[in-house]
Amino acid sequence: MDKGSTEAADTLLIRSCLAGERIAFDRLVLRYKDRVFSLCLRLLGDYDDADDCAQETFIKVHRALPRFRFESAFSTWLYRIAVNTCMSSRSSRAFRMKKNLVSLNGMDAGARESLEISSGNPHPTPDQELERRERERLLQEAIDALPPDQRAVVVLRDVEVLSYDEITGITGLNLGTVKSKLSRARLKLRGKLEGLL
Amino acid sequence: MDCTNVQQLLDEYLEGALDERERKLVEEHLASCGDCTRSMAFLRAYRREMRNLRAVRAPADFLRNVHSRMRERRPFRDLLVRLFSPSGLKLPLELAGVTAVALAALVLFGVVGGGRDRGALTQSRWRTGEISRAERAAGRKEDRDLPPEVIAMDLEEESTEGSLAVEAMPGEELSGDEIPRDVVPEILGKAESPRDAPREEPRPRAPAGGRLPEAYPREPAPPAGAAAEAGEEKLPLREDTEEVPAGPGEPSPAEEGPGMELTVLMPQEEPPEGSGEQAPAGEEHVLEVVRAIEALGGKIVFKEYRGSSGGPAVINAVIPGSGYRMLIHELERLGRVVGPDGAGAAPEGEDLPGPQEELQVRIRFMSGAATGTE
């Protein structure tokens, strides 16, 4: 489905939702839950926190939907709320305390297995799977070590593969600032990942 | 073109987003610069690795958890709706907040004598606006995460409206009219049982499915929706979707086996001017009941609006026994409900279906005058 028809479908669902069709909101959630969850996971580096923030994002969307003015794509608006929710969550005291106690390695096995991160090989051997997970852990750790503003830009651009236009819409930053943050972030990541890649 | 310029263009070069002239300049530079070549090799590998991180699925019960969380947040709002909505009383958000805090203090600390001083202090702070600001600050905490234009709209609305019917969640301003229609059943949902529901008239009519114990026990069947017509991808509408048979030609519960036949005697409305006829039962009433049944966890087997075949509106449904009383209560909001023998429809004692039992119901909507002749 191309971008235009996705936006048209979103608009229809939003209007149905505003007209009282509860099912329309559920459809919006189902359309975007994986993308929002993925974004939250990359921004937070923690499965439970990502689940929590992704749910919170949709609750906020539900509440604010009557005030959505269709001035941007719904997905941009949704991502913006998700990014802000994650940033608020990361700065909360509870999150920092938890981070001190539980590292990414502490992510429980069940949660990890349910991540279902795609890889080129659909049937990896145990060794390949182990290696993939290790690479993923190192990448996530490197992302986690970035300052929040750079992390958001990196995740939106390099993980979610959004356009610069979309990123400026989501972050509220201008194009030059986005590129500058991205450049600095990549430089830091290169220092951490050069041996890995 | 120097290294700095080339480094800035590498991303777009790899995307193929550069024009012909820029692409050639970058390639010429790369051919002669080891640092930039290594940068590009890293960037290429880096992009591939990062994009491999993309496909992460949300937990299977994500939607259900969103619903649960939405329900969990509403008990206090439920209480205020029950307290103030029937009387149409509107309270400013700050006053509602202060009242809640005062009540909590009274309950927790048993403030009676000494509490007067604290109460006076509270009143004083209220007058000076200190509490108002604090409450607002707390209330705004969550809204920091919303885009600024939404927050700005909130502030505009707040400055012009001033009073609210319902205690809002932190960061949320909701009056009765502002509550999204699909939220209202949840807000009102857990508030009342049929026994304690106020019956006096007039009272505001909740949107369809309102005043039921479980607002989200299961999602209704998808609308034969505009979204689908627009070529939207078909998505599961719930994580454990059930097929619900529906449509004309379905056997009525009476044909299938034992069930309950209910007739709703609708108040006679003013006939359309000059028609000389009685106004038909509205489609909206049927839809209200349909939604209520779905909210109760029931399935609509068949429905017909008045006028489609000249007869009365009819709904055939299967509901859980535990929802029977709720259904009766919902129907009573529309009119008097009678059983097949013309007696009241609310069974007592042994006549009540068991909570786990599936009950087939056939509901007919009749005008008061029409039923008088039956």
Side-chain angles (χ1 to χ4, degrees):
Chain A
M1 186 182 284
D2 64 36
K3 194 175 170 185
S5 57
T6 299
E7 284 184 19
D10 285 348
T11 302
L12 280 171
L13 284 174
I14 294 164
R15 294 202 188 283
S16 300
C17 189
L18 295 176
E21 291 285 348
R22 197 168 54 189
I23 198 75
F25 176 70
D26 291 355
R27 296 188 73 156
L28 280 173
V29 174
L30 291 172
R31 279 170 78 85
Y32 285 101
K33 65 176 181 155
D34 289 342
R35 274 171 275 181
V36 169
F37 179 78
S38 176
L39 174 67
C40 293
L41 183 64
R42 296 306 157 208
L43 288 173
L44 298 170
D46 181 278
Y47 186 88
D48 291 335
D49 288 331
D51 191 16
D52 188 56
C53 277
Q55 288 178 34
E56 190 64 31
T57 297
F58 282 108
I59 291 168
K60 286 175 183 171
V61 164
H62 185 273
R63 215 179 56 215
L65 206 55
R67 291 165 278 165
F68 179 59
R69 288 176 166 175
F70 301 93
E71 287 168 356
S72 65
F74 171 73
S75 58
T76 303
W77 189 67
L78 172 67
Y79 271 43
R80 189 170 185 175
I81 294 175
V83 168
N84 290 344
T85 302
C86 289
M87 292 298 119
S88 296
S89 167
R90 274 194 79 99
S91 62
S92 74
R93 191 176 164 194
F95 182 89
R96 278 183 273 122
M97 283 176 69
K98 184 177 174 184
K99 269 295 182 202
N100 289 337
L101 294 172
V102 184
S103 74
L104 244 187
N105 293 325
M107 189 188 290
D108 65 79
R112 274 193 159 274
E113 277 170 21
S114 67
L115 290 182
E116 297 186 23
I117 296 174
S118 68
S119 65
N121 183 356
H123 304 292
T125 65
D127 281 350
Q128 286 171 331
E129 179 63 14
L130 200 64
E131 186 191 334
R132 184 184 66 78
R133 287 189 176 184
E134 180 62 12
R135 294 168 80 86
E136 176 206 321
R137 186 183 66 79
L138 292 172
L139 279 172
Q140 185 66 56
E141 275 186 359
I143 294 171
D144 269 357
L146 294 171
D149 54 342
Q150 291 179 18
R151 187 187 318 122
V153 174
V154 160
V155 170
L156 292 170
R157 176 67 185 166
D158 293 336
V159 182
E160 297 299 322
V161 200
L162 300 183
S163 70
Y164 284 112
D165 272 355
E166 287 170 308
I167 296 170
T168 55
I170 290 165
T171 59
L173 302 172
N174 64 44
L175 182 62
T177 309
V178 168
K179 285 190 171 180
S180 156
K181 285 182 187 298
L182 190 61
S183 173
R184 284 203 295 274
R186 283 175 175 171
L187 208 58
K188 287 180 188 168
L189 290 172
R190 186 173 176 179
K192 288 178 184 295
L193 300 173
E194 198 133 40
L196 178 73
L197 303 179
Chain B
M1 192 175 274
D2 63 16
C3 288
T4 309
N5 292 332
V6 169
Q7 299 267 352
Q8 285 175 349
L9 292 175
L10 283 180
D11 201 28
E12 283 145 309
Y13 173 75
L14 287 174
E15 295 250 307
L18 294 180
D19 61 34
E20 186 64 22
R21 190 185 64 85
E22 284 177 321
R23 190 177 60 80
K24 276 189 176 168
L25 286 172
V26 169
E27 284 173 351
E28 280 170 13
H29 182 88
L30 287 174
S32 61
C33 178
D35 279 351
C36 288
T37 304
R38 279 190 292 278
S39 290
M40 195 186 65
F42 168 78
L43 189 58
R44 186 173 277 143
Y46 163 83
R47 283 159 55 102
R48 188 180 58 244
E49 288 289 332
M50 294 296 263
R51 288 172 191 198
N52 277 342
L53 288 175
R54 288 183 68 198
V56 183
R57 288 188 187 153
D61 55 356
F62 185 84
L63 178 60
R64 191 173 296 123
N65 290 336
V66 170
H67 287 172
S68 301
R69 196 185 278 203
M70 288 165 103
R71 278 200 303 272
E72 281 167 12
R73 294 195 174 184
R74 293 192 165 83
F76 187 56
R77 222 185 297 178
D78 284 351
L79 178 66
L80 288 173
V81 168
R82 287 174 63 187
L83 287 174
F84 300 116
S85 183
S87 60
L89 182 61
K90 292 194 169 191
L91 288 179
L93 178 62
E94 297 84 357
L95 181 56
V98 170
T99 307
V101 170
L103 281 172
L106 204 63
V107 170
L108 288 175
F109 303 112
V111 180
V112 180
R116 285 177 188 161
D117 294 337
R118 290 186 213 175
L121 177 62
T122 304
Q123 281 192 346
S124 158
R125 291 180 63 211
W126 166 250
R127 277 196 294 271
T128 61
E130 275 180 62
I131 288 179
S132 169
R133 282 192 293 275
E135 293 288 325
R136 280 165 191 272
R140 289 277 167 231
K141 186 174 176 298
E142 275 192 35
D143 265 359
R144 286 183 312 194
D145 301 331
L146 294 176
E149 62 271 18
V150 172
I151 298 173
M153 287 179 68
D154 271 359
L155 293 169
E156 286 168 21
E157 286 166 10
E158 186 179 342
S159 65
T160 54
E161 292 187 3
S163 66
L164 302 169
V166 183
E167 170 69 10
M169 296 295 296
E172 181 176 24
E173 289 75 38
L174 293 172
S175 71
D177 292 334
E178 286 175 318
I179 302 169
R181 284 184 60 204
D182 50 342
V183 184
V184 175
E186 294 180 39
I187 295 172
L188 299 173
K190 287 186 270 187
E192 296 172 355
S193 74
R195 288 186 183 279
D196 62 14
R199 299 286 179 89
E200 60 274 12
E201 297 287 344
R203 56 193 242 189
R205 172 165 291 174
R211 298 178 191 276
L212 297 173
E214 294 175 87
Y216 266 110
R218 65 178 66 186
E219 287 77 20
E229 288 170 13
E232 185 193 346
E233 59 194 325
K234 289 187 179 174
L235 288 164
L237 292 177
R238 45 175 295 158
E239 284 131 321
D240 53 349
T241 307
E242 290 178 32
E243 289 297 323
V244 180
E250 294 276 353
S252 71
E255 290 162 354
E256 284 182 337
M260 180 65 73
E261 183 149 341
L262 303 170
T263 304
V264 184
L265 305 180
M266 312 280 288
Q268 191 168 358
E269 294 176 21
E270 284 296 317
E273 203 168 327
S275 69
E277 292 175 2
Q278 186 184 309
E283 185 176 317
E284 61 181 276
H285 296 137
V286 180
L287 282 173
E288 272 192 45
V289 175
V290 165
R291 289 183 186 138
I293 289 170
E294 285 169 342
L296 283 167
K299 296 175 188 172
I300 302 300
V301 179
F302 174 72
K303 65 175 181 284
E304 183 173 57
Y305 304 120
R306 174 182 285 244
S308 61
S309 66
V314 173
I315 298 173
N316 290 354
V318 179
I319 62 167
S322 57
Y324 183 73
R325 280 184 174 281
M326 287 283 110
L327 176 62
I328 296 296
H329 174 61
E330 188 66 14
L331 295 176
E332 282 174 344
R333 294 176 52 242
L334 301 176
R336 192 161 71 85
V337 182
V338 296
D341 54 359
E348 294 293 338
E350 292 179 1
D351 292 332
L352 263 175
Q356 305 301 326
E357 206 176 318
E358 282 207 325
L359 184 67
Q360 295 169 348
V361 289
R362 178 178 169 84
I363 304 162
R364 294 190 307 156
F365 298 81
M366 310 287 286
S367 72
T371 49
T373 62
E374 287 194 358

